[in-house]
Amino acid sequence: MAGRTAAVQTRADSVRNRRLLLRAATEAFAECGVDVSMHTIAQRAGVAKGTVFRHFPTKDDLLAAIMTQLLDRLSETADRLLRADDAGRALKDFMGHGIGLLAADRAFCDVIGRPSLQHADVREAIDRLCDTVEDLTARAREQGAVRGDITGTDIVLLLGGIHQTAQPLLDREPRAWERFLEITFDGLRARDREALPHPPPARLRMADPSDVSAATKT
Amino acid sequence: MAGRTAAVQTRADSVRNRRLLLRAATEAFAECGVDVSMHTIAQRAGVAKGTVFRHFPTKDDLLAAIMTQLLDRLSETADRLLRADDAGRALKDFMGHGIGLLAADRAFCDVIGRPSLQHADVREAIDRLCDTVEDLTARAREQGAVRGDITGTDIVLLLGGIHQTAQPLLDREPRAWERFLEITFDGLRARDREALPHPPPARLRMADPSDVSAATKT
DNA sequence: CGAGAAGATGACCGAGGGGTCACGTTGTGC
DNA sequence: GCACAACGTGACCCCTCGGTCATCTTCTCG
């Protein structure tokens, strides 16, 4: 990427346009969801449609670039919260943060809602997120903040669920999700109750098995 | 509608086609969600596209006809459960039933997910549902099965949320929602905890105020 | 400043969507 | 069985979308 002797160095206007494009797409996806058109994104970035496709071969690639970034930032938050003393509090804070992101980004909702047919990059980002959240949950479990049979996958899934619960109220009560997080987190607390009906899946393995090269990073 | 002396009585093949159409549309919407095309629905019913539009002027009308029916059947279930002795059990059963319907019908998920821009008939059906669920919840509250600040609107909203939570697992674990219903219902139980962060809206008043003639039925 | 390559552009394409309508078909009452 | 109105039909219209590409513009390096 750096200045190799001579020859191919990415042009200045190209990187500028790429930045404009990413910003515009981030906003457009957040406001309108995944169904926003490439034309609209191009307009908002102030470039022509062809330019969008020069930087991102398909719409899916563009969406994946933005969603991956969003998911990774959420992973970082989870990572930071691993160092908190009160693991229960940390877990709840993480959930609040995640739900807040969902409430602010329609495309994010769309993406986590539909598990199948997803860009490999996004699946990997979700995997990374699950890894960290698993640790976060394990700590809360060990501290007795949540019941023993709650896993990180439960938590990640609940993010989308709690947001969905509050979504119809989002216009008039932007913070209504706090109510449902409170309710749900209360249900997660450790108590001497019988085991939950269904065990959670070991991992949130999304989509097809044709993707053999999944564990390159981790 | 009945045989008026002479003149206009609906033709036999017309009512037959209408029935075929409704059945096909119900299945198609359930399998594919609201984005299934009118062409596909026509094919599945074994009629031409024009016939669909003869019976239902717009796609929205067709969708509303089916969703209304589904919502009203759910209302009936709630109504029946009003007569159960254990109101807490009844409320939980109702939730299980509702979530099961969501799990089996993608269009249903799509419709309850997006509150705005919805057919007036659907909004009214949701209103009717909310009414009954409010009663169901009130009984559970009075019997001490759920905390005092839980409303019927909470319950209706949670239906979509719990289903959404389990949706990514739906392919491999069709009954995974039972796990999350258990967790959530546990959070609803009466306990001496502080009040919930956000009060629920008095009603699930969906969409615009331009719809003045909302309370014609009820 | 000039040459050349990398980038930007927008007209264009094919697919697929909802909705329409002139015409052919069929059920119904007399 | 006749006539007519209601119904069924599918080609057609217009629109939007993701994606392409020949052409023009602009940055960069010498």
Side-chain angles (χ1 to χ4, degrees):
Chain A
M1 289 299 189
R4 199 72 150 293
T5 48
V8 281
Q9 182 186 343
T10 9
R11 265 166 53 168
D13 58 339
S14 178
V15 308
R16 201 205 69 208
N17 276 341
R18 190 187 185 86
R19 242 194 301 266
L20 287 174
L21 211 45
L22 277 170
R23 178 151 52 201
T26 302
E27 290 172 11
F29 277 130
E31 284 174 29
C32 317
V34 297
D35 284 336
V36 70
S37 76
M38 292 297 259
H39 177 79
T40 302
I41 293 173
Q43 270 187 325
R44 291 179 69 138
V47 301
K49 204 168 64 158
T51 307
V52 187
F53 285 98
R54 170 173 291 275
H55 288 274
F56 301 93
T58 72
K59 185 182 181 180
D60 245 42
D61 291 326
L62 173 57
L63 179 64
I66 287 162
M67 289 299 116
T68 305
Q69 172 189 326
L70 206 157
L71 282 162
D72 283 345
R73 264 193 288 154
L74 184 55
S75 293
E76 281 169 29
T77 300
D79 222 27
R80 222 174 300 122
L81 285 167
L82 269 177
R83 281 183 275 285
D85 286 335
D86 184 343
R89 179 89 226 154
L91 185 59
K92 197 171 170 185
D93 284 350
F94 165 76
M95 293 177 78
H97 187 184
I99 297 166
L101 288 185
L102 284 167
D105 196 320
R106 289 195 46 179
F108 193 21
C109 307
D110 295 342
V111 163
I112 60 124
R114 321 261 171 272
S116 43
L117 311 170
Q118 231 161 48
H119 201 290
D121 292 354
V122 176
R123 286 202 299 262
E124 287 171 25
I126 292 179
D127 268 12
R128 287 193 291 275
L129 177 64
C130 282
D131 280 337
T132 312
V133 176
E134 204 66 63
D135 295 346
L136 204 58
T137 310
R139 286 194 66 225
R141 234 170 18 220
E142 286 155 17
Q143 290 191 9
V146 300
R147 45 194 299 170
D149 45 4
I150 297 297
T151 73
T153 305
D154 285 320
I155 301 300
V156 172
L157 289 170
L158 282 168
L159 253 43
I162 296 171
H163 167 257
Q164 170 65 50
T165 307
Q167 169 158 321
L169 312 172
L170 224 163
D171 293 341
R172 269 163 303 187
E173 301 261 10
R175 296 205 158 272
W177 56 264
E178 291 177 358
R179 177 180 177 85
F180 299 105
L181 174 56
E182 194 66 40
I183 292 173
T184 306
F185 201 82
D186 220 48
L188 292 173
R189 281 185 219 284
R191 289 191 198 91
D192 45 346
R193 303 191 60 81
E194 48 200 53
L196 291 168
H198 263 271
R203 279 316 291 279
L204 234 200
R205 276 262 137 262
M206 325 196 92
D208 55 7
S210 68
D211 177 37
V212 194
S213 66
T216 47
K217 250 231 176 130
T218 308
Chain B
M1 288 302 182
R4 198 74 148 293
T5 47
V8 280
Q9 182 186 345
T10 6
R11 264 165 55 169
D13 57 339
S14 179
V15 309
R16 202 204 68 208
N17 276 340
R18 190 186 185 85
R19 242 195 299 268
L20 286 174
L21 212 43
L22 277 170
R23 179 151 54 201
T26 302
E27 290 173 11
F29 277 130
E31 285 174 29
C32 316
V34 297
D35 285 336
V36 70
S37 75
M38 291 296 258
H39 178 80
T40 303
I41 293 172
Q43 271 188 324
R44 292 179 67 139
V47 301
K49 205 168 62 157
T51 306
V52 187
F53 284 98
R54 172 173 290 274
H55 287 273
F56 302 93
T58 71
K59 185 182 180 180
D60 245 41
D61 291 326
L62 174 56
L63 180 63
I66 288 161
M67 289 299 116
T68 304
Q69 171 189 328
L70 206 156
L71 283 161
D72 282 344
R73 264 192 290 153
L74 184 55
S75 292
E76 282 168 29
T77 300
D79 221 28
R80 222 175 301 124
L81 284 167
L82 270 177
R83 282 182 275 286
D85 287 334
D86 184 343
R89 178 87 227 158
L91 185 60
K92 196 170 171 187
D93 284 350
F94 165 76
M95 293 177 79
H97 186 181
I99 298 167
L101 288 185
L102 284 166
D105 196 318
R106 290 195 44 181
F108 193 21
C109 308
D110 294 342
V111 163
I112 60 123
R114 321 262 171 274
S116 44
L117 310 172
Q118 233 162 48
H119 201 288
D121 293 354
V122 175
R123 286 203 299 261
E124 287 171 26
I126 292 179
D127 267 12
R128 286 192 293 274
L129 177 64
C130 282
D131 280 337
T132 313
V133 176
E134 204 66 62
D135 295 346
L136 204 58
T137 310
R139 287 195 67 224
R141 234 171 16 222
E142 287 155 19
Q143 291 192 10
V146 300
R147 45 192 299 170
D149 46 4
I150 297 298
T151 73
T153 305
D154 285 321
I155 300 299
V156 171
L157 289 169
L158 282 167
L159 253 41
I162 297 171
H163 167 257
Q164 170 66 50
T165 308
Q167 171 160 320
L169 311 172
L170 225 163
D171 292 340
R172 268 163 305 189
E173 301 261 9
R175 296 206 157 270
W177 56 265
E178 293 177 357
R179 177 181 178 85
F180 299 105
L181 174 56
E182 194 66 39
I183 291 173
T184 306
F185 201 82
D186 221 47
L188 292 174
R189 283 191 218 292
R191 288 192 199 90
D192 44 346
R193 304 191 60 81
E194 49 200 54
L196 290 169
H198 262 271
R203 281 314 294 277
L204 235 198
R205 274 261 137 261
M206 327 197 91
D208 55 7
S210 69
D211 179 35
V212 194
S213 66
T216 47
K217 247 214 171 152
T218 307

